[in-house]
């Protein structure tokens, strides 16, 4: 039984049409001979909406236990709907809360750490030929309380389940096709990256672009779980995140406002003085005043003004990722 984990982000579950499309994607994998386990986020903005409701009903110093009980319901809605959509397509499926899926955590509400995964129930469902659809972002404390795993925590659910079931693959299906050489909304020529290392994804998050929950990436890195970040709209390959990543040199760029300045970084492996000189040359060639704030083999950062940040980003992209 080749188990694969397919995690869907909230925007990929935003309406009934998208939920049916996610279910169809899971079914396709089953037809290819895999035993899929779906892990789901709450639909679109529902977690934020629930937080607003909590503030309206309970003021701004609420019980974190109740906040977790409330927020966990968002993922439960997705799980039940995806299970219904799978059943409608004729596939046996069962939704599971984090607790039912055996995700045991400590008792730190809103940022619980996963202590262990008891995968008996998941294995039993798979053996019975059912597709488990697990509500992400949640677990159960030693006292039986519902806990949540921090914002973006469905990512962590996916990787801990992948490890517990020794899954052959762990996919993240979202509304983006993968990681890009730069933010495509700012740099139109940005390209999808085929492979990147955990370390680079962690640097990227520190330098302004969190592509997946940091805790989840660190967990995946610690246990060498390859991640495939890809689209929920089609089956084109996305970006693989592994220990070795892709080629050495510059991998991608990131931009981040910090105080009164904008930081623009090149992230890569084996960056050296030649890369740094190339960055400074690119800045000079577009007339941007920039100084070096950080330089290591994994990242090099230039600081400039807010007004010039995007100009610098585009110039660096031209210098490092010209086709
Ligand atoms: N729904 C939660 C959040 O928005 C968890 C997740 O999406 O992974 O943070
Ligand atoms: Mg969400």
């Amino acid at each position: 039984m080749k188990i694969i984990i397919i995690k869907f982000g909230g925007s990929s579950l935003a309406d009934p049409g998208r939920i049916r499309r996610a279910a169809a994607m899971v079914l396709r994998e089953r037809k290819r001979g895999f035993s899929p386990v779906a892990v789901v986020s709450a639909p679109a903005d529902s977690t934020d909406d629930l937080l607003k409701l909590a503030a309206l009903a309970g003021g701004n110093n609420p019980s974190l236990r109740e906040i977790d009980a409330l927020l966990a319901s968002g993922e439960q809605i997705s799980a039940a709907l995806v299970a219904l959509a799978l059943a409608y397509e004729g596939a046996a499926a069962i939704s599971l809360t984090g607790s039912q899926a055996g995700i045991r955590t400590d008792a730190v509400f809103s940022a619980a750490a996963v202590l262990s995964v008891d995968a008996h129930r998941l294995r039993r469902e798979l053996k019975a030929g059912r597709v488990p659809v697990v509500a992400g972002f949640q677990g159960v404390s030693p006292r039986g309380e519902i806990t949540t795993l921090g914002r973006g925590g469905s990512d962590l659910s996916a990787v801990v389940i992948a490890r517990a079931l020794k899954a052959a693959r762990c996919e993240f299906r979202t509304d983006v096709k993968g990681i890009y050489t730069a933010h495509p909304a700012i740099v139109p020529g940005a390209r999808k990256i085929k492979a990147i290392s955990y370390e680079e994804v962690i640097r990227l998050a520190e330098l302004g672009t969190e592509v997946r929950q940091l805790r989840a990436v660190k967990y995946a890195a610690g246990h060498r779980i390859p991640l495939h970040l890809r689209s929920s709209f089609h089956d084109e390959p996305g970006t693989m995140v592994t220990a070795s990543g892709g080629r050495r040199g510059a991998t991608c760029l990131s931009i981040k406002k910090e105080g009164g300045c904008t930081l623009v970084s090149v992230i890569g492996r084996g960056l050296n003085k030649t890369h740094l000189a190339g960055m400074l040359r690119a800045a000079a060639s577009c007339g941007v005043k920039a100084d070096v704030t950080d330089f290591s083999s994994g990242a090099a950062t230039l600081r400039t003004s807010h007004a010039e940040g995007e100009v610098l980003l585009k110039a660096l992209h031209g210098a490092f990722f010209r086709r």
Side-chain angles (χ1 to χ4, degrees):
M1 188 157 60
K2 266 207 158 179
I3 297 169
I4 62 170
I5 311 302
I6 313 176
K7 188 257 169 175
F8 291 97
S11 64
S12 303
L13 302 166
D15 56 52
R18 289 181 187 213
I19 284 169
R20 284 202 303 273
R21 198 178 51 210
M25 209 154 236
V26 172
L27 275 184
R28 271 208 297 285
E29 295 296 348
R30 207 153 96 131
K31 290 198 181 109
R32 288 180 185 136
F34 292 102
S35 297
V37 174
V39 177
V40 293
S41 284
D45 303 320
S46 57
T47 305
D48 291 324
D49 294 343
L50 289 171
L51 279 171
K52 281 179 205 142
L53 271 178
L56 290 173
N60 44 26
N61 195 16
S63 144
L64 291 179
R65 179 195 183 275
E66 301 310 335
I67 293 292
D68 276 14
L70 177 70
L71 294 191
S73 71
E75 272 68 13
Q76 290 166 24
I77 290 172
S78 290
L81 288 173
V82 171
L84 286 170
L86 282 163
Y88 187 60
E89 292 297 325
I94 183 162
S95 69
L96 297 171
T97 65
S99 172
Q100 289 172 321
I103 305 200
R104 312 229 187 281
T105 71
D106 62 18
V108 181
F109 294 115
S110 90
V114 176
L115 301 177
S116 64
V117 178
D118 173 355
H120 282 96
R121 175 78 188 266
L122 282 168
R123 283 208 198 89
R124 194 161 77 231
E125 299 300 346
L126 286 167
K127 253 208 185 118
R130 284 185 280 269
V131 179
V133 184
V134 181
F137 179 50
Q138 55 189 273
V140 63
S141 78
R143 290 187 158 192
E145 306 286 19
I146 299 172
T147 53
T148 66
L149 311 178
R151 295 307 303 263
S154 303
D155 289 350
L156 186 59
S157 308
V159 293
V160 300
I161 291 171
R163 175 164 181 247
L165 293 175
K166 301 189 176 64
R169 251 168 46 212
C170 185
E171 296 193 345
F172 292 78
R173 296 275 190 167
T174 67
D175 57 358
V176 293
K177 293 178 177 169
I179 302 179
Y180 281 73
T181 48
H183 202 313
I186 309 176
V187 182
R191 316 200 283 275
K192 190 172 72 191
I193 300 166
K194 286 205 181 81
I196 190 169
S197 67
Y198 302 118
E199 211 48 52
E200 288 168 302
V201 174
I202 292 166
R203 288 316 284 279
L204 197 50
E206 287 163 358
L207 293 166
T209 312
E210 185 165 325
V211 289
R212 303 277 25 116
Q213 194 207 33
L214 200 48
R215 285 174 101 180
V217 179
K218 289 184 173 167
Y219 185 93
H223 299 285
R224 293 283 195 268
I225 302 164
L227 311 177
H228 190 180
L229 315 187
R230 61 197 303 202
S231 170
S232 59
F233 293 87
H234 51 66
D235 273 333
E236 176 183 307
T239 301
M240 286 301 308
V241 187
T242 61
S244 56
R247 254 183 279 136
R248 285 170 74 81
T251 302
C252 59
L253 305 176
S254 189
I255 182 166
K256 171 185 176 183
K257 289 203 164 106
E258 198 172 84
C261 301
T262 291
L263 304 179
V264 183
S265 307
V266 173
I267 288 117
R269 290 194 307 129
L271 299 180
N272 56 36
K273 290 211 170 106
T274 316
H275 294 98
L276 189 62
M279 290 173 74
L280 292 169
R281 227 179 303 119
S285 73
C286 63
V288 167
K289 270 229 303 276
D291 57 342
V292 182
T293 64
D294 175 45
F295 171 55
S296 69
S297 64
T301 301
L302 298 184
R303 178 174 48 202
T304 187
S305 66
H306 287 331
E308 292 179 311
E310 294 192 3
V311 178
L312 180 57
L313 185 73
K314 287 179 189 155
L316 289 176
H317 198 273
F320 286 95
F321 302 105
R322 207 191 308 274
R323 272 184 204 279

